[in-house]
Amino acid sequence: MDAPNLNVINDYKREYLWRRVAQTAAGGARLRLPFAAPLYVPLLQLLLLLAPALLGVPLTLLLRARLAAPLVGAGAALLSLTLQIVGVVTERHSAAQRDVKTNILAQDDEVVFEGVCHSATWAFIIPAKRRMVSLALHPLAAGLAAAAAAVALSPDTLPAVSRHGAALVVLFPVLGWLSVCTGLYSVTVARPPEPATLRALDDWEVAALNRPLHLLLLSAPLLLIQHGWPSPTPDWLITCDVVARLTMCALPLLWLFGVIPPMDVAFGWLSEQTLILLCGGSPCVTPSRLALQLLLAAALAVPLCCLPAADRLIPAAVGGCLLSADVVGLLQWLWCAAVGLCRRLPPSLPGGWWRSLLYPAVCCAAGGAVAAAGSLRRPPPGALPSLGAALLALAAGRAVFVELQRVYCAGLLRNCLYRPAAGRGVKGGVRAAGLRLHTLGAPLLLTLFITWEIEEVAADRPSRGSPEDILSAMCLARCYRWVWQNTEAALPETAVVFLLRLLWPTAATWRPEFVLTAASALRDRLTQLRGKLYMAAVLLSSWLSVKERRRAHVLFALNTALLPITAGLLALSCLFSAPLLPVCTLPLFVATFPRRPAGRVPAAPQTAGPDAVYYQQMSAPTADVLGRAVWDGCAGFVQPGDYLLLRFEDRLMWVYIAEMGNAYIYFCIKGLELQETSCHAAEATRVDAIFDCAFDEERSAESVGPLAPFWFHALTPLTQLHVPGYSDARSQLTGVIDNSATLAAVEELFPKVLAWTLVQHLLTTDAVAEEQKLLAKAVQSSDTAGGKSAARADSMERYKTALSSPAPPALLGEVAEWSDGSQGSLLLFEPQKPAGVALGAAPWLRQVLDADDGSPGSDGEGTAPPPPPLVSSTTIMVGPPAGSPSGTGAPASPRRSTQLPPIPTSSRPSPPRRAPSGAGSVTTTPSRRPSRLRSGSRVAPAPGSERDTPPGSTHGSVTASVGRVSSSRRPSRAAWQPLIPSAPSVPPPPTAAARRMTPPAVWTLAAPPLNTELASPFPRQFWVHTVTSLLEKEAQMAAKGQSLTETVVGAAATDPVESLGGDAAVERVMENHRVVCQLVDSAYHSTARQLQVGSSPARVLSLYKEGGAPDTPAGTWLRGAPVVAALARRAYRWSVKLALDSILLGGFDSDDELLDTLEEYSTDWYIGLDSDPGWRQAVLQHKPSLFSLGYDDSRNTYTSHLLSLGDQTVSVGSLSAELVRGVWASLALELLYVTNDDEERYSIQAHPMILRNLTVQAADPPLGYPVFSGPPVRSSHV
């Protein structure tokens, strides 16, 4: 959208804006309403507005200031308390009677006034306070401010002001009492909207105290004079009193323009400026760190003031070096460790404990030694000029070294010697050694220079205890700290001071600590001036473009007319370190209030979408690489408060340098949206063009001349870095996943991958302990949900017995639901219901835990669990397991075994209609109603079957072809028996390896009988090869002391077969694995094979997402076995990935190659869905590769999503810090005061030169909307 064609302020907001301006000027009184109101409404508000003047003027005229002030204060406090009580009472009384008509174009509610004394009238005039504590604080503030203002405006104190002009005799009282009235209205009646707003929310109504506190602060100098402190009154205090009282007269205008900051913002800004200018610190990333830094600086300054001037050098040098390190971070970490809150900031100390503690100790010792050597021995003749010349050469060399590492020298000229920071390898060691020497040597040389300079003027020390002596001690500590805190700034400052003292002999007599402190403050303000001038040049030059030229003549004429005022605003903003506010990002500047450059920093990562995890993963590596780049100098001359923009692939990272010190930097990193809007795309395209012209050899060769093609731009390219991150590849699988070879490969690989997954899981995990943890979670969930019935408690006890027993107990009665009808107490074990699928019988855990007390089975006769939901057109039954007498299904032996007893079914398919008695083979039993579907019959796919079913549905073809599910028709108990043998149990596993390899009995506690006709053949040879390979690997790791399974360490050192107890034990273990694997395969494929429906991409995607089919007995069992279901889901997803790779890259030549691939998958891959929580965890754990399968509904295509971890080439550029702060200040004024929050407003339209849309997006919420906003990240170059 063409930005100039948009209105700066929306049309429907203009009337609202004028009403809000009038309300701000009137102190909060709504004298201008958007609807018709009786005359008494504005008159009553006007009366309440002028009430402090009506009370105070007569008292100050009749009484002296000392007597009138308490009476005026008490009257104002009583008035405020009375009005607040009236507001609370009328609000409660009129809540049910008020007739409100909401106008969507107005911010205020339209009220029907019924009279002066009606509750609705007073509820509108006096809004009730949200907090009861305001009823005490606001009257107190009103009383104190009124009393102080009465003293300041009393005729007794008027001569001190009137001597500066006769007109002030009349204007001062009138304007002063007007300021008092508009200032007290916020605590007596209602708070006005303030342009000086930094926070969107004010739950505790603290903002209402700002205006009374401003009045109280401006009256403070006069109160000090009135009470005789100090005595005699110095001239500077009298001057401050006159300036303060004259400022009091201009308060309404200053409040209207938002020049005076809120008190909390002013306190933070003043504290930070004190820390930077007077204590030599750095801007702090959080207010808590700022407070601790001030306390530590005071702890150093107070003892120095008590010491004699000759004894201060060594303590100041040691203390300054110590405070320049991250002492606050160390103290915070120790405090968190002491109270057990180690997860809070800072979470760790990069570089190791010994480095983080040893390096500051070495620096302190070296600094103290250099200061001691310089103070104890006077420098030889000519040593001080030589040292100054060396510092001057070092500063010049460092500046040239930094500029030569940038792609553009001074941001304008192309550097022909530039090489990317990531491509410097051969001379890296020598270069790093030189940088380390500079890092430690430059502060030591500066320390020696300062010590010699102070010793040169030792004879002219101020008297001890005088203000000059106290200031000298503080400046001395500041100088010694600054050389370590910010060496890059201290080096040129000291060089300039040396030149000044060399060229101007008078400057040689000045105290060096005062000169260095002043030089540092002057450099800081000149740096801000340069940034503000550059911001003005960028904004003005942006209007020379064709798109912005429509209003350029008006703005240029206006800026020319207001040039003296703009120059004054520029000087004041630099003096007070305040942003220069461009109105709605136009080249039209106004003043705003000063504030700390660091905004709201979250204590924990704040995310706003699935793409945020990629920024969160890169935040720590980015901070580490950027920290090295800053120390290396390839990121330019970086200072606290600067902003960097990082670009790689389609991602944009916004980096703020929040704090810098001796060997540490704190970064605040934000991630911008990946789903690009039109405005975002326009500016992102410009960013790509800038970086391509700088770093792409082909694009840079096309540029004409050595000048940068994009000069006077908000973004200046610096260098390119390599940061560990994920490359994102999204592909379409059309022609691959729907290939018959791919679908066949999935079914062929699934049994092998499942067998390997089961063996690997049992070898590396204590399966029984895992099931016990699941039961503990279920019990805890049941207790949290409100307790459990006696039957449920008995069921849990039985399940505990099943876990601890060597063999599973007899099954409990047939129960499909909880006995009390609830289903939510064990939701941990309940799988999520897939969309469009009717869940049938309850999972196995319900069948075990929900047995009624009256269920049969106490007499030793086993009872079968309820069958799964049966299709209405057929019911497929299975015969009793082997060993059960005449098919009753009763267990024949109470003996138990720790291994899962095998089912003696034949590996060959049994006859479909009849089986020998006691053979345990599959038998089909007709349902109660006649059916046309029989076992082994062919069923043609019905219309709308699986081939025609969209991938979002779950097994749609099976449901469509066999009809709806019927859960009411159940077979007899003899028809479906659990997988529990009734034959005599076999001996327990003979070795620890065999016991570990045997699946737990509870895995198949409620499993249906196995139909081998519908299951894939078990890969016996591959299973033997897998077990042999994994046990040999376990033996090798045991020999190295790295075994994952301690219970198998001793057995794994021998032959794998012997470790399992011989061939017979191997066969028993294999048989148990075969049963589990074929049960899982039946859960996935039995229904499709039974109906003879071929596989399809939709079915593959459905099984990939949700797992086994829910409409089979095996699927019902699998849903109730969370561990087995998770292993099966993982195996199927791996099979799909292997099948795709085999089609695209070629098949596997041998089983060893397949095993190696599976090992790689288990360690280096996450294969799942990109919407799963596991995907996010894998990204945060820096998994090397991630794969996901999906479906694009808009294009009707199957897609794959592949992430690969590697070193990504990241382009780094610096942003104009003053431009960013100016845009954010304009945004705060527009959104929080004007509330111009339209989605298509002018101030968020694309502006490629100043990157307006990206800058607005990167602001702190709620003004901005970054996708990711992380906590401060610490980087160290120790």
Side-chain angles (χ1 to χ4, degrees):
M1 185 177 291
D2 193 4
N5 293 330
L6 296 175
N7 294 319
V8 176
I9 302 296
N10 298 332
D11 293 335
Y12 72 94
K13 289 279 185 159
R14 294 179 181 177
E15 179 62 26
Y16 167 77
L17 175 61
W18 289 117
R19 292 200 313 269
R20 195 152 201 181
V21 169
Q23 186 179 357
T24 303
R30 289 178 285 185
L31 303 177
R32 183 175 179 177
L33 299 176
F35 50 86
L39 184 60
Y40 58 79
V41 174
L43 289 179
L44 286 175
Q45 294 185 77
L46 189 61
L47 179 62
L48 295 178
L49 175 65
L50 299 177
L54 298 178
L55 175 66
V57 171
L59 290 177
T60 53
L61 292 177
L62 297 176
L63 302 175
R64 297 182 61 85
R66 292 181 178 271
L67 297 177
L71 295 178
V72 174
L78 184 60
L79 175 64
S80 176
L81 181 61
T82 303
L83 293 178
Q84 297 310 316
I85 294 175
V86 170
V88 172
V89 172
T90 55
E91 178 70 22
R92 295 178 179 178
H93 185 267
S94 64
Q97 303 176 1
R98 187 181 307 165
D99 184 12
V100 178
K101 299 179 182 179
T102 305
N103 185 355
I104 61 174
L105 298 180
Q107 290 290 327
D108 300 330
D109 293 332
E110 189 171 346
V111 181
V112 177
F113 300 99
E114 299 182 1
V116 178
C117 299
H118 196 268
S119 59
T121 302
W122 289 99
F124 173 78
I125 295 175
I126 308 174
K129 301 296 182 181
R130 294 192 300 267
R131 303 283 182 177
M132 297 303 296
V133 68
S134 300
L135 297 178
L137 291 180
H138 289 189
L140 178 62
L144 293 177
V151 175
L153 299 175
S154 176
D156 299 341
T157 60
L158 191 60
V161 179
S162 60
R163 71 182 62 172
H164 294 82
L168 295 177
V169 177
V170 179
L171 292 178
F172 177 71
V174 175
L175 296 178
W177 279 111
L178 180 61
S179 300
V180 172
C181 292
T182 56
L184 295 183
Y185 195 85
S186 61
V187 289
T188 55
V189 182
R191 181 178 71 89
E194 297 284 4
T197 304
L198 193 60
R199 293 176 177 84
L201 302 178
D202 184 26
D203 293 335
W204 291 94
E205 299 175 312
V206 179
L209 302 175
N210 287 325
R211 292 194 175 191
L213 289 178
H214 293 159
L215 291 171
L216 191 60
L217 183 64
L218 293 176
S219 304
L222 179 60
L223 295 178
L224 292 177
I225 295 174
Q226 291 289 324
H227 288 81
W229 189 90
S231 182
T233 303
D235 295 337
W236 62 267
L237 186 58
I238 297 176
T239 304
C240 287
D241 169 50
V242 174
V243 173
R245 286 201 277 175
L246 292 178
T247 305
M248 185 184 296
C249 299
L251 277 179
L253 193 62
L254 298 178
W255 285 330
L256 181 62
F257 284 98
V259 177
I260 303 180
M263 293 306 299
D264 56 340
V265 178
F267 181 76
W269 167 80
L270 186 61
S271 301
E272 188 164 90
Q273 293 301 309
T274 302
L275 178 65
I276 296 172
L277 300 180
L278 193 58
C279 302
S282 167
C284 295
V285 63
T286 58
S288 60
R289 290 181 60 88
L290 176 60
L292 290 175
Q293 289 279 15
L294 285 174
L295 289 177
L296 292 175
L300 175 63
V302 171
L304 287 179
C305 294
C306 299
L307 291 175
D311 300 335
R312 293 173 179 170
L313 297 180
I314 299 177
V318 175
C321 180
L322 181 62
L323 292 184
S324 67
D326 192 14
V327 181
V328 174
L330 178 62
L331 293 178
Q332 286 180 336
W333 194 93
L334 292 176
W335 172 258
C336 293
V339 298
L341 300 177
C342 300
R343 294 182 179 180
R344 295 187 178 179
L345 289 176
S348 61
L349 293 178
W353 271 99
W354 66 274
R355 291 182 180 179
S356 299
L357 295 177
L358 182 61
Y359 182 77
V362 171
C363 292
C364 291
V370 170
S375 61
L376 296 178
R377 184 177 180 181
R378 296 185 64 85
L384 187 58
S386 301
L387 181 58
L391 291 177
L392 184 61
L394 187 61
R398 177 65 177 177
V400 172
F401 177 75
V402 170
E403 286 297 326
L404 289 179
Q405 295 186 89
R406 299 175 57 179
V407 64
Y408 292 115
C409 296
L412 295 176
L413 299 176
R414 175 171 290 277
N415 180 14
C416 58
L417 302 177
Y418 168 77
R419 294 179 60 192
R424 306 163 184 162
V426 179
K427 300 181 180 179
V430 179
R431 190 166 173 272
L435 289 172
R436 291 190 181 96
L437 182 62
H438 168 79
T439 303
L440 188 61
L444 294 178
L445 291 178
L446 291 172
T447 300
L448 183 61
F449 179 81
I450 293 172
T451 304
W452 282 353
E453 285 282 3
I454 292 175
E455 289 296 329
E456 284 289 329
V457 293
D460 193 20
R461 291 184 177 127
S463 58
R464 186 176 179 181
S466 62
E468 186 181 359
D469 181 66
I470 296 175
L471 185 61
S472 173
M474 297 179 66
C475 292
L476 181 65
R478 194 244 184 234
C479 293
Y480 279 121
R481 177 180 180 174
W482 187 245
V483 299
W484 296 96
Q485 186 84 41
N486 196 340
T487 307
E488 301 300 324
L491 195 59
E493 292 168 6
T494 307
V496 170
V497 169
F498 168 73
L499 286 178
L500 178 65
R501 298 170 71 89
L502 187 64
L503 300 177
W504 192 11
T506 306
T509 60
W510 298 343
R511 298 290 303 175
E513 60 268 27
F514 294 158
V515 177
L516 288 172
T517 302
S520 179
L522 184 61
R523 181 206 58 82
D524 181 76
R525 295 308 189 251
L526 289 178
T527 302
Q528 293 188 29
L529 178 62
R530 183 189 63 182
K532 288 179 172 62
L533 289 175
Y534 184 79
M535 177 191 72
V538 169
L539 288 174
L540 290 173
S541 62
S542 67
W543 282 80
L544 296 177
S545 62
V546 176
K547 185 177 179 180
E548 307 283 350
R549 197 173 293 170
R550 186 168 63 90
R551 303 175 186 171
H553 61 283
V554 178
L555 291 172
F556 276 114
L558 192 59
N559 277 281
T560 303
L562 299 178
L563 184 59
I565 299 178
T566 304
L569 293 178
L570 182 64
L572 288 176
S573 63
C574 293
L575 179 63
F576 291 101
S577 186
L580 189 62
L581 192 151
V583 179
C584 295
T585 65
L586 298 173
L588 182 64
F589 305 101
V590 297
T592 185
F593 61 94
R595 67 202 77 182
R596 294 180 60 236
R600 186 180 62 88
V601 179
Q606 295 181 354
T607 59
D611 296 330
V613 65
Y614 306 120
Y615 291 115
Q616 186 175 356
Q617 175 268 330
M618 287 196 66
S619 59
T622 300
D624 184 59
V625 174
L626 275 180
R628 293 198 301 267
V630 171
W631 168 68
D632 200 19
C634 58
F637 187 70
V638 177
Q639 290 295 295
D642 289 348
Y643 294 90
L644 301 177
L645 187 68
L646 277 61
R647 177 69 167 174
F648 62 102
E649 293 186 352
D650 59 344
R651 302 171 194 169
L652 283 166
M653 297 184 71
W654 190 280
V655 181
Y656 171 63
I657 292 87
E659 184 176 347
M660 291 181 64
N662 186 10
Y664 77 93
I665 306 177
Y666 277 97
F667 296 98
C668 293
I669 299 177
K670 297 178 182 179
L672 306 186
E673 62 181 356
L674 302 184
Q675 301 295 332
E676 298 180 349
T677 60
S678 59
C679 295
H680 181 97
E683 296 185 357
T685 303
R686 174 60 65 88
V687 171
D688 291 336
I690 293 175
F691 284 133
D692 289 343
C693 290
F695 304 117
D696 191 356
E697 295 182 358
E698 297 180 359
R699 291 289 301 273
S700 60
E702 296 176 359
S703 59
V704 179
L707 287 177
F710 298 97
W711 55 283
F712 281 132
H713 200 281
L715 177 65
T716 302
L718 295 176
T719 186
Q720 284 186 323
L721 304 173
H722 283 174
V723 180
Y726 283 101
S727 63
D728 196 331
R730 299 177 185 267
S731 306
Q732 293 185 3
L733 299 179
T734 304
V736 180
I737 195 173
D738 51 359
N739 192 344
S740 59
T742 305
L743 302 176
V746 173
E747 295 196 10
E748 180 184 353
L749 289 169
F750 180 55
K752 293 184 178 182
V753 178
L754 181 61
W756 183 92
T757 303
L758 185 61
V759 173
Q760 193 264 352
H761 177 77
L762 292 174
L763 273 179
T764 58
T765 308
D766 190 349
V768 176
E770 188 178 19
E771 295 290 342
Q772 291 174 350
K773 291 180 181 179
L774 290 175
L775 177 64
K777 291 182 180 180
V779 174
Q780 182 181 4
S781 176
S782 178
D783 295 338
T784 305
K788 51 184 178 291
S789 62
R792 195 179 307 170
D794 180 66
S795 300
M796 289 187 176
E797 291 298 329
R798 295 181 187 181
Y799 180 62
K800 293 178 183 178
T801 305
L803 282 177
S804 59
S805 62
L811 282 182
L812 303 175
E814 180 178 346
V815 179
E817 299 291 342
W818 290 111
S819 57
D820 56 358
S822 64
Q823 298 184 10
S825 58
L826 287 178
L827 286 179
L828 176 65
F829 296 89
E830 194 68 52
Q832 185 176 2
K833 178 179 179 180
V837 178
L839 292 181
W844 64 271
L845 191 59
R846 258 191 218 160
Q847 298 168 6
V848 176
L849 298 184
D850 291 337
D852 293 330
D853 291 339
S855 300
S858 58
D859 56 351
E861 180 180 355
T863 58
L870 305 178
V871 292
S872 60
S873 58
T874 183
T875 305
I876 301 174
M877 300 302 170
V878 292
S884 59
S886 33
T888 59
S893 175
R895 297 178 61 185
R896 298 172 177 176
S897 175
T898 56
Q899 78 170 36
L900 180 65
I903 293 182
T905 56
S906 174
S907 60
R908 298 188 303 271
S910 57
R913 297 291 297 172
R914 182 183 299 177
S917 177
S921 57
V922 177
T923 304
T924 58
T925 304
S927 61
R928 296 178 183 176
R929 304 181 65 178
S931 175
R932 293 174 295 175
L933 183 62
R934 292 290 185 263
S935 176
S937 63
R938 293 181 176 271
V939 179
S945 63
E946 197 167 17
R947 291 183 179 89
D948 300 326
T949 303
S953 62
T954 306
H955 311 285
S957 61
V958 178
T959 306
S961 61
V962 301
R964 295 178 58 85
V965 172
S966 174
S967 60
S968 61
R969 292 162 43 201
R970 304 183 183 276
S972 61
R973 294 182 179 178
W976 181 23
Q977 293 297 332
L979 194 62
I980 298 178
S982 56
S985 60
V986 295
T991 63
R995 287 192 296 271
R996 196 60 178 258
M997 288 283 295
T998 302
V1002 294
W1003 279 10
T1004 54
L1005 188 61
L1010 177 61
N1011 187 348
T1012 57
E1013 193 177 41
L1014 302 178
S1016 299
F1018 182 70
R1020 293 175 176 271
Q1021 295 182 356
F1022 181 80
W1023 184 88
V1024 173
H1025 188 64
T1026 298
V1027 172
T1028 303
S1029 176
L1030 290 179
L1031 287 178
E1032 289 178 352
K1033 180 181 178 181
E1034 185 72 21
Q1036 296 174 2
M1037 297 178 64
K1040 299 178 181 180
Q1042 302 175 355
S1043 177
L1044 298 177
T1045 310
E1046 297 180 358
T1047 59
V1048 197
V1049 170
T1054 61
D1055 183 71
V1057 177
E1058 296 298 329
S1059 66
L1060 292 177
D1063 294 337
V1066 171
E1067 288 294 331
R1068 288 196 297 271
V1069 174
M1070 182 193 303
E1071 190 66 17
N1072 287 307
H1073 283 237
R1074 180 192 67 81
V1075 169
V1076 177
C1077 291
Q1078 290 190 335
L1079 276 172
V1080 172
D1081 187 81
S1082 299
Y1084 273 72
H1085 301 116
S1086 61
T1087 303
R1089 289 169 182 168
Q1090 180 182 354
L1091 301 177
Q1092 298 183 2
V1093 178
S1095 182
S1096 67
R1099 184 168 176 271
V1100 170
L1101 179 61
S1102 177
L1103 292 175
Y1104 185 93
K1105 289 182 176 180
E1106 301 165 1
D1111 52 357
T1112 61
T1116 304
W1117 157 77
L1118 188 61
R1119 291 200 315 272
V1123 177
V1124 183
L1127 295 176
R1129 190 182 303 112
R1130 182 201 307 170
Y1132 191 83
R1133 291 174 175 179
W1134 289 12
S1135 302
V1136 174
K1137 179 65 171 62
L1138 288 171
L1140 293 175
D1141 290 345
S1142 65
I1143 298 301
L1144 296 174
L1145 305 177
F1148 299 98
D1149 298 332
S1150 62
D1151 289 343
D1152 291 332
E1153 185 178 354
L1154 179 58
L1155 289 177
D1156 293 339
T1157 305
L1158 293 175
E1159 286 285 347
E1160 181 185 357
Y1161 281 4
S1162 64
T1163 56
D1164 298 340
W1165 281 78
Y1166 176 85
I1167 301 175
L1169 299 176
D1170 52 10
S1171 58
D1172 288 343
W1175 182 279
R1176 173 184 172 86
Q1177 295 299 326
V1179 171
L1180 296 180
Q1181 293 171 2
H1182 303 275
K1183 279 282 186 181
S1185 302
L1186 294 90
F1187 175 82
S1188 174
L1189 194 66
Y1191 186 79
D1192 190 351
D1193 294 326
S1194 61
R1195 300 181 179 179
N1196 294 326
T1197 57
Y1198 295 89
T1199 60
S1200 66
H1201 187 192
L1202 179 64
L1203 294 181
S1204 301
L1205 183 63
D1207 287 339
Q1208 307 298 325
T1209 301
V1210 179
S1211 301
V1212 183
S1214 65
L1215 294 165
S1216 173
E1218 293 299 332
L1219 180 59
V1220 171
R1221 295 191 189 97
V1223 171
W1224 286 356
S1226 175
L1227 182 67
L1229 178 66
E1230 182 182 4
L1231 292 186
L1232 299 182
Y1233 181 72
V1234 184
T1235 64
N1236 190 31
D1237 54 356
D1238 188 85
E1239 294 181 355
E1240 295 297 330
R1241 65 182 184 271
Y1242 174 85
S1243 59
I1244 62 172
Q1245 298 303 308
H1247 198 310
M1249 290 197 68
I1250 65 175
L1251 303 179
R1252 179 167 53 196
N1253 186 267
L1254 296 179
T1255 304
V1256 169
Q1257 185 186 157
D1260 294 330
L1263 303 180
Y1265 46 98
V1267 174
F1268 169 76
S1269 182
V1273 184
R1274 184 182 186 272
S1275 177
S1276 176
H1277 64 259
V1278 178

